[in-house]
Amino acid sequence: MTTPDEVLSTIEQAERRPTAVPEELPVLPLRDIVIYPHMIFPVLIGRASSLKAVAHALERDKYAFLVSQKTAQTDDPGFADLHVHGTVAKVLQVLRLPNNLLKVLVEGMFPGKIIETIQEDPFLEARIQMKSIVADETDRQLTALVRHATELFEEYVKNHRNLPPEVLSAFDNIDDPVRKLFYAAANVQQKVDVKQRILTANTLVDQYVELIQMISSELELLKLEAEIDTKVQDQIQKSQRKYFIQEQIRALQKELGDEDDGGPELSPLKDQIESAGLPEPVKTKALEEFERLKKTPSMSPEFAVNRTWLEVLTSVPWSKRSKDDLNITHVRQILDEDHYDLTKPKERILEYISVLNLVGTIRGQILCFVGPPGVGKTSLAKSIARAMGRTFVRISLGGVRDEAEIRGHRRTYIGAMPGKIVQAMKRAGTSNPVILLDEIDKMSMDFRGDPSSALLEVLDPEQNSAFNDHYLEVDYDLSNVLFIATANVRYEIPAPLLDRLEVIELSSYLEPEKTEIAKRHIMPKLLERHGLKGFDIRFSDDALRSIIRNYTREAGVRNMEREIAGILRKLTTEIVTEASKNTSSNDGDVRHSPSFKKLKRRIWKIDTKDVEKFLKAPKFKERKEELTDKVGVARGLAWTSVGGDTLPVEVTFMPGVEKLTLTGKLGDVMKESAMAALSYLRSDFARFGLDPDFSKGKEIHVHVPEGAIPKDGPSAGITMTLALLSAASGRPIRGDLAMTGEVTLRGQILAIGGLNEKLLAAKRVGVTTVLVPEMNRMDVADLQPAVTDDLEIVYVNTIADAVPVAFPDAEARRKPNAGCNAPAGKSAKRSAIKNGKAVGKAAVKRLRKA
C-alpha cells in the first residue's frame, strides 16, 4: 500500500520532470559563473537584452536557460560567444535595484543543451534539449567514484580557508549522487572553462571523473600554498624568537653589569673596530656609531645602514702600508724591462725614488702622462708600482660626470656607497698604493656636479691629507698615495686641475722604436698568448717596417700589435692544420703528436711577402707622388690625438662675387686664420709683388681635403698664407716642403705645439724641408736626433722669411695673378724645377746665417 508521503513524492517528481518545461526558452548569458542544477543563486541583470529575457520568462512560466559566456569581456554576446551546454533554471524572485539593475534569484532545475537558435533580438531565445540524469545504484564504478569524490571534497573543505564547516555538513546530508555532484562542483573554486566540463559530460560517471580531476588539481594548489605559508610563518617566528632572546640577553647583561658588546652578531664588528688601526677621532666616532647600533632593533632599516657604514669604515686601510723598494738600480732595471726608451718619464721616476730615499716621504708629486693612445701611459704606471713594490689600482674617469662618483653619496640615501677614491683604497688594502687616474681629460659635468672640481682636493698635497668622503664623513689621509694621471690631450684637462699636475709628455714612437718594441715586448707576449711559445718565429726588420708603414697609422703600437697578432693567428692555423694531417690522434689535441713537435723545431721566418700574404692589401700607401711643385697648394702639418699628419691646403681664384669661401669642415679658429692670412696679403701686397686689386672681382676658395674630418687650430696660418700667395701670384710652392705656424695680421709667425708628431708626419710622406716658427727653436732642440735626421728645418719669424724658401723662383717673379691660377709655361716651369732647389738652399743658408 502506498503511503501519503510516497504519493507526495511522486507528484513532486512529476512536476520537476523535464517534460514539464517548455522547449523554447529565453537565454541568459552569465559572466564568470556556472549555474548547476539544484543550485539557488542570485544573478545581477543589467544588459537590455537580458532584462527583456527575464521579463519574457516571468510573463510565461518563469523558466530560462542560463549559460556561461566564453569570454567575460564580451558586452553584447551572441550565440557564438556562449557555451552550448547550460542549466534550465526557474526564476524564484526578482528584486529591482538602483541604476536599472535586477537581482534575480534563480534555481537550477535540469542540465540542457542548445540545439537550435530562434532569435537574438530583442533577446536571445533558443530551443533547448534537456537531459534527465538518473543514478544507477547498482553501478559499482559509480559507487566508487562517489566515495572517492566525497573524500576529496571533505579534504578540500578542511584545507580551504574561505569555506565554512557548514558546507561539509550540508554535503554529508545529501544522499542523491546527482545532487552531491552538483553541490560539490558549485563549491569548488575553479575557472569557468573547467567547471563547464561537468555540464558537457554525457554520463554521470564522466561527470564524476571531471569532478575528481577538478578537486585534485585544487588540492595540489592548496597544499603548495600551505607549505609556503608554513615556511613564511616559521621564518617570522624564528626572527621574533631571536629578537626576544637577544633582548633577554641584553636585559640580563644590564642586570649583571657586564659590558655589552652587541652579542654574537655584532662582536666581530667590535673586534674589527679595535684592530683596524683607526686614528683616534675616527675610532671615537666609530665606537659612538657602534653603541647606537647596539640599541637599534635589528629589524630596523637604520640597523643595516649603520652596520654597512661600520663595515666599510673598518675595511679601508688606515695604517697598513706596503714596504717601498727604494733600490734605484732595481727600479731602473724594472722600468727598462717593461718599456723601451721613454727616457724622460723614467728619469722623473728615478728622481722621485731618489728623493724618497733621502726624505722618507714626499708630497706634491702628482704625475700626469700626456700622449697619444698606445704609447704606454697605463703600462708605465703599472711598471712604476711593480718597481716600487706597491699595490696598483686603476680608476677609469672616462665619461664620469657626477661629483658623487669621486666623493661618494651621503649614507642617508638608499644604496649609498663611497666614492671611487675610497673604493680604490679598499681594493688596494694598503694606505700607500699607486692609483692611476686614467683618461683624466675625458671627464665631463652636468647638473649633478663637476667631478674635476672634486678631484682638486684629492690631488692637492695641502688638502689630501684630510680627504673627506661624503659617505665616510671622516677625514682620510691620501698623502701617502702616489697618484698618476693619464690624458691624451693636454688642453682638455681643466686649468685648476692641470695646475696641480706635473705633466710629462710621451711623444709618438719613431719607426726604429716601434721595431724594437715589437721585438722585445710585443712578440714574446703574443707568442705565449697564441700558444706558440717555444716556436722559433722570426720577423725580419723589413717585415716589421712593412707592417708599420703600410698597415698602421698611429702614434703608439696598439694597431701594430693587432696586425702582428693577425699574422700569428694565420700562422697558428697553418701549424695546427699541418699537424692534424700527420696525426692519428682522436682526442683532437695535436700538441702531443710527433708532427707537432717536428714543426716546433722548425724555424719560421716572416718577411715582407709573408706580411702581404697574411694581411692582404696594404691599408695605407705612401704618398710620394704628391711631392710635386703646385700652384695654390701648400702642405701644412697637423697634430691629432693619435699622432701627426700632413694637411694640404688648396686655394683657387675664380671670377665672380668677391668673397672668401672656406670648405673642408673647418673650425672657427681655422676659419679666422684664413681670414687673417688674406687680410695680411691685401695689406702688404707690395712686398710680394701682387696687384693691389688681386682679389677684386674674384671669389677665393680655400679647401682642406678630407672634408669629412673636423679640423681646427691656428697652426695652419702660415700654410694658408703661402697657398693664397701662390694662387694670387701664379707661382708654384715646393712640393717637398711642409710648414706649421700661427700667423698674425702683421705677418708674424707664432709658436705652435705638437712639434714632435708633426715632424714625424713630414718624414713619413717624404718631406725634406720644414718651416718652423723661430719661437719653437728650443722645442726642436729637445727632440730626439732621430726625429730631425734627414729633415732640413728652417726657422722663420715672418711670412717674408718663409717666401724665399717656399717659392723656388722667388728671384724671377711672374706677372701677378696671371691667368687666375693658370700654371706656368713649360719653359718657365722647367726653369723653376731646375733652379728651384738651388735658390731654395741659398735662401736657407741666408736665413741660418741671420
Side-chain angles (χ1 to χ4, degrees), residues 295-330:
K295 300 174 183 178
T296 305
S298 59
M299 304 298 292
S300 172
E302 188 179 354
F303 181 87
V305 172
N306 291 345
R307 178 171 179 169
T308 304
W309 182 83
L310 285 171
E311 289 174 347
V312 173
L313 184 72
T314 54
S315 63
V316 176
W318 294 90
S319 56
K320 183 180 179 181
R321 294 171 55 96
S322 59
K323 185 178 180 181
D324 289 335
D325 187 349
L326 303 181
N327 187 333
I328 195 167
T329 304
H330 173 71

Short mmCIF file of all heavy atoms in Angstrom, two decimals, residues 295-330:
data_model
loop_
_atom_site.label_atom_id
_atom_site.label_comp_id
_atom_site.label_asym_id
_atom_site.label_seq_id
_atom_site.Cartn_x
_atom_site.Cartn_y
_atom_site.Cartn_z
N LYS A 295 71.75 49.61 20.19
CA LYS A 295 70.43 49.97 20.71
C LYS A 295 69.37 49.97 19.61
O LYS A 295 68.19 50.20 19.91
CB LYS A 295 70.50 51.34 21.36
CG LYS A 295 71.48 51.41 22.53
CD LYS A 295 71.61 52.82 23.05
CE LYS A 295 72.65 52.88 24.18
NZ LYS A 295 72.85 54.26 24.68
N THR A 296 69.80 49.76 18.37
CA THR A 296 68.86 49.79 17.26
C THR A 296 68.32 48.39 17.01
O THR A 296 69.11 47.44 16.92
CB THR A 296 69.54 50.31 15.97
OG1 THR A 296 70.13 51.58 16.25
CG2 THR A 296 68.54 50.45 14.84
N PRO A 297 67.00 48.22 16.91
CA PRO A 297 66.45 46.88 16.60
C PRO A 297 66.99 46.37 15.27
O PRO A 297 67.14 47.13 14.31
CB PRO A 297 64.93 47.11 16.54
CG PRO A 297 64.71 48.38 17.31
CD PRO A 297 65.92 49.21 17.12
N SER A 298 67.27 45.09 15.22
CA SER A 298 67.85 44.51 14.01
C SER A 298 66.89 44.55 12.83
O SER A 298 67.32 44.46 11.67
CB SER A 298 68.29 43.07 14.27
OG SER A 298 67.18 42.29 14.69
N MET A 299 65.58 44.66 13.10
CA MET A 299 64.61 44.72 12.02
C MET A 299 64.49 46.12 11.44
O MET A 299 63.85 46.32 10.41
CB MET A 299 63.23 44.27 12.52
CG MET A 299 63.21 42.88 13.13
SD MET A 299 63.68 41.60 11.95
CE MET A 299 62.29 41.68 10.84
N SER A 300 65.11 47.10 12.08
CA SER A 300 65.01 48.48 11.62
C SER A 300 65.90 48.72 10.41
O SER A 300 67.02 48.20 10.35
CB SER A 300 65.40 49.43 12.75
OG SER A 300 65.49 50.77 12.27
N PRO A 301 65.45 49.52 9.42
CA PRO A 301 66.33 49.83 8.26
C PRO A 301 67.61 50.55 8.67
O PRO A 301 68.64 50.39 8.03
CB PRO A 301 65.43 50.72 7.39
CG PRO A 301 64.03 50.42 7.81
CD PRO A 301 64.10 50.08 9.26
N GLU A 302 67.54 51.34 9.75
CA GLU A 302 68.72 52.07 10.19
C GLU A 302 69.81 51.13 10.68
O GLU A 302 71.00 51.45 10.60
CB GLU A 302 68.32 53.04 11.31
CG GLU A 302 69.43 53.99 11.71
CD GLU A 302 69.00 54.96 12.80
OE1 GLU A 302 67.80 54.94 13.15
OE2 GLU A 302 69.85 55.71 13.29
N PHE A 303 69.43 49.95 11.15
CA PHE A 303 70.41 48.96 11.61
C PHE A 303 71.33 48.54 10.46
O PHE A 303 72.55 48.51 10.60
CB PHE A 303 69.68 47.75 12.18
CG PHE A 303 70.60 46.68 12.72
CD1 PHE A 303 71.05 46.72 14.02
CD2 PHE A 303 71.00 45.63 11.90
CE1 PHE A 303 71.90 45.73 14.51
CE2 PHE A 303 71.83 44.64 12.38
CZ PHE A 303 72.29 44.69 13.70
N ALA A 304 70.73 48.23 9.29
CA ALA A 304 71.53 47.80 8.14
C ALA A 304 72.41 48.93 7.62
O ALA A 304 73.56 48.71 7.24
CB ALA A 304 70.60 47.31 7.03
N VAL A 305 71.90 50.18 7.63
CA VAL A 305 72.68 51.33 7.15
C VAL A 305 73.91 51.54 8.03
O VAL A 305 75.04 51.69 7.54
CB VAL A 305 71.80 52.59 7.11
CG1 VAL A 305 72.64 53.82 6.80
CG2 VAL A 305 70.70 52.44 6.07
N ASN A 306 73.71 51.56 9.36
CA ASN A 306 74.83 51.81 10.27
C ASN A 306 75.84 50.67 10.26
O ASN A 306 77.05 50.89 10.34
CB ASN A 306 74.30 52.03 11.68
CG ASN A 306 73.53 53.34 11.81
OD1 ASN A 306 73.63 54.20 10.93
ND2 ASN A 306 72.77 53.48 12.86
N ARG A 307 75.33 49.45 10.16
CA ARG A 307 76.25 48.31 10.15
C ARG A 307 77.12 48.33 8.89
O ARG A 307 78.33 48.09 8.95
CB ARG A 307 75.46 47.01 10.23
CG ARG A 307 76.35 45.79 10.17
CD ARG A 307 75.60 44.52 10.45
NE ARG A 307 76.48 43.36 10.37
CZ ARG A 307 76.15 42.15 10.76
NH1 ARG A 307 74.95 41.92 11.26
NH2 ARG A 307 77.01 41.16 10.65
N THR A 308 76.49 48.61 7.74
CA THR A 308 77.26 48.69 6.49
C THR A 308 78.31 49.79 6.56
O THR A 308 79.45 49.61 6.11
CB THR A 308 76.32 48.94 5.31
OG1 THR A 308 75.32 47.90 5.27
CG2 THR A 308 77.07 48.95 3.99
N TRP A 309 77.94 50.92 7.15
CA TRP A 309 78.90 52.02 7.29
C TRP A 309 80.11 51.60 8.13
O TRP A 309 81.26 51.89 7.78
CB TRP A 309 78.21 53.22 7.92
CG TRP A 309 79.09 54.42 8.06
CD1 TRP A 309 79.39 55.35 7.11
CD2 TRP A 309 79.82 54.81 9.23
NE1 TRP A 309 80.25 56.29 7.60
CE2 TRP A 309 80.53 55.98 8.91
CE3 TRP A 309 79.93 54.29 10.51
CZ2 TRP A 309 81.34 56.64 9.82
CZ3 TRP A 309 80.74 54.94 11.43
CH2 TRP A 309 81.43 56.11 11.08
N LEU A 310 79.87 50.92 9.23
CA LEU A 310 80.98 50.48 10.08
C LEU A 310 81.83 49.44 9.37
O LEU A 310 83.08 49.44 9.50
CB LEU A 310 80.43 49.90 11.39
CG LEU A 310 79.91 50.91 12.42
CD1 LEU A 310 79.20 50.20 13.56
CD2 LEU A 310 81.06 51.77 12.95
N GLU A 311 81.21 48.56 8.59
CA GLU A 311 81.98 47.56 7.85
C GLU A 311 82.88 48.21 6.80
O GLU A 311 84.03 47.82 6.62
CB GLU A 311 81.03 46.56 7.20
CG GLU A 311 80.35 45.62 8.19
CD GLU A 311 79.31 44.74 7.53
OE1 GLU A 311 78.95 45.02 6.36
OE2 GLU A 311 78.84 43.77 8.18
N VAL A 312 82.35 49.21 6.10
CA VAL A 312 83.17 49.92 5.10
C VAL A 312 84.29 50.68 5.79
O VAL A 312 85.44 50.69 5.34
CB VAL A 312 82.28 50.87 4.26
CG1 VAL A 312 83.14 51.74 3.35
CG2 VAL A 312 81.28 50.09 3.43
N LEU A 313 83.96 51.35 6.90
CA LEU A 313 84.96 52.14 7.61
C LEU A 313 86.13 51.28 8.08
O LEU A 313 87.30 51.69 7.99
CB LEU A 313 84.30 52.84 8.82
CG LEU A 313 85.18 53.80 9.61
CD1 LEU A 313 85.43 55.06 8.81
CD2 LEU A 313 84.54 54.14 10.95
N THR A 314 85.85 50.11 8.57
CA THR A 314 86.92 49.25 9.09
C THR A 314 87.65 48.48 7.98
O THR A 314 88.74 47.97 8.22
CB THR A 314 86.34 48.25 10.10
OG1 THR A 314 85.25 47.52 9.48
CG2 THR A 314 85.82 48.97 11.32
N SER A 315 87.03 48.39 6.78
CA SER A 315 87.70 47.66 5.70
C SER A 315 88.67 48.53 4.92
O SER A 315 89.51 48.03 4.17
CB SER A 315 86.64 47.08 4.74
OG SER A 315 85.90 48.13 4.13
N VAL A 316 88.57 49.86 5.08
CA VAL A 316 89.51 50.77 4.40
C VAL A 316 90.83 50.74 5.16
O VAL A 316 90.85 50.78 6.39
CB VAL A 316 88.93 52.20 4.37
CG1 VAL A 316 89.94 53.17 3.77
CG2 VAL A 316 87.65 52.24 3.57
N PRO A 317 91.97 50.66 4.45
CA PRO A 317 93.27 50.62 5.15
C PRO A 317 93.61 51.98 5.77
O PRO A 317 93.63 52.99 5.07
CB PRO A 317 94.26 50.25 4.03
CG PRO A 317 93.60 50.70 2.78
CD PRO A 317 92.13 50.54 2.98
N TRP A 318 93.86 51.99 7.06
CA TRP A 318 94.21 53.22 7.77
C TRP A 318 95.68 53.26 8.14
O TRP A 318 96.33 54.32 8.04
CB TRP A 318 93.35 53.35 9.03
CG TRP A 318 91.89 53.55 8.74
CD1 TRP A 318 90.95 52.58 8.58
CD2 TRP A 318 91.23 54.79 8.54
NE1 TRP A 318 89.73 53.13 8.29
CE2 TRP A 318 89.86 54.51 8.26
CE3 TRP A 318 91.62 56.13 8.56
CZ2 TRP A 318 88.92 55.49 8.02
CZ3 TRP A 318 90.68 57.11 8.31
CH2 TRP A 318 89.35 56.81 8.06
N SER A 319 96.22 52.16 8.54
CA SER A 319 97.61 52.17 8.99
C SER A 319 98.47 51.12 8.29
O SER A 319 99.70 51.11 8.45
CB SER A 319 97.68 51.93 10.50
OG SER A 319 97.02 50.71 10.84
N LYS A 320 97.86 50.24 7.51
CA LYS A 320 98.62 49.20 6.84
C LYS A 320 99.33 49.78 5.62
O LYS A 320 98.71 50.40 4.76
CB LYS A 320 97.68 48.06 6.41
CG LYS A 320 98.40 46.90 5.77
CD LYS A 320 97.42 45.81 5.35
CE LYS A 320 98.14 44.65 4.68
NZ LYS A 320 97.21 43.59 4.25
N ARG A 321 100.64 49.59 5.55
CA ARG A 321 101.45 50.11 4.45
C ARG A 321 102.27 48.98 3.85
O ARG A 321 102.66 48.04 4.53
CB ARG A 321 102.40 51.21 4.94
CG ARG A 321 101.75 52.48 5.42
CD ARG A 321 102.78 53.39 6.08
NE ARG A 321 103.90 53.67 5.20
CZ ARG A 321 103.99 54.77 4.44
NH1 ARG A 321 103.04 55.67 4.48
NH2 ARG A 321 105.04 54.96 3.67
N SER A 322 102.53 49.11 2.55
CA SER A 322 103.46 48.20 1.90
C SER A 322 104.85 48.83 1.94
O SER A 322 105.00 50.04 1.84
CB SER A 322 103.02 47.93 0.45
OG SER A 322 102.97 49.14 -0.27
N LYS A 323 105.85 47.98 2.07
CA LYS A 323 107.22 48.48 2.16
C LYS A 323 107.73 48.85 0.77
O LYS A 323 107.68 48.07 -0.17
CB LYS A 323 108.12 47.40 2.78
CG LYS A 323 109.54 47.89 3.05
CD LYS A 323 110.37 46.80 3.71
CE LYS A 323 111.79 47.29 3.97
NZ LYS A 323 112.62 46.24 4.60
N ASP A 324 108.22 50.10 0.66
CA ASP A 324 108.71 50.58 -0.63
C ASP A 324 110.07 49.98 -0.95
O ASP A 324 110.95 49.87 -0.08
CB ASP A 324 108.82 52.11 -0.63
CG ASP A 324 107.47 52.78 -0.65
OD1 ASP A 324 106.50 52.14 -1.11
OD2 ASP A 324 107.37 53.93 -0.18
N ASP A 325 110.23 49.61 -2.22
CA ASP A 325 111.53 49.16 -2.72
C ASP A 325 112.24 50.40 -3.27
O ASP A 325 111.93 50.87 -4.36
CB ASP A 325 111.34 48.10 -3.80
CG ASP A 325 112.67 47.49 -4.24
OD1 ASP A 325 113.73 48.04 -3.86
OD2 ASP A 325 112.65 46.47 -4.96
N LEU A 326 113.19 50.93 -2.50
CA LEU A 326 113.85 52.18 -2.87
C LEU A 326 115.21 51.95 -3.50
O LEU A 326 116.01 52.89 -3.62
CB LEU A 326 113.98 53.07 -1.63
CG LEU A 326 112.66 53.40 -0.91
CD1 LEU A 326 112.92 54.30 0.28
CD2 LEU A 326 111.69 54.05 -1.88
N ASN A 327 115.50 50.73 -3.94
CA ASN A 327 116.77 50.44 -4.61
C ASN A 327 116.69 51.00 -6.03
O ASN A 327 115.98 50.48 -6.89
CB ASN A 327 117.00 48.93 -4.65
CG ASN A 327 118.38 48.58 -5.19
OD1 ASN A 327 118.96 49.32 -5.97
ND2 ASN A 327 118.90 47.44 -4.75
N ILE A 328 117.38 52.08 -6.28
CA ILE A 328 117.24 52.79 -7.55
C ILE A 328 117.73 51.94 -8.72
O ILE A 328 117.21 52.04 -9.84
CB ILE A 328 117.99 54.15 -7.48
CG1 ILE A 328 117.53 55.04 -8.64
CG2 ILE A 328 119.50 53.95 -7.47
CD1 ILE A 328 117.97 56.47 -8.48
N THR A 329 118.70 51.08 -8.48
CA THR A 329 119.18 50.19 -9.55
C THR A 329 118.09 49.19 -9.94
O THR A 329 117.85 48.93 -11.13
CB THR A 329 120.44 49.44 -9.10
OG1 THR A 329 121.42 50.39 -8.68
CG2 THR A 329 120.98 48.60 -10.23
N HIS A 330 117.43 48.65 -8.92
CA HIS A 330 116.34 47.70 -9.18
C HIS A 330 115.19 48.38 -9.91
O HIS A 330 114.61 47.82 -10.85
CB HIS A 330 115.86 47.11 -7.86
CG HIS A 330 114.63 46.26 -8.00
ND1 HIS A 330 114.65 45.02 -8.60
CD2 HIS A 330 113.34 46.48 -7.62
CE1 HIS A 330 113.43 44.50 -8.58
NE2 HIS A 330 112.62 45.37 -7.99
#
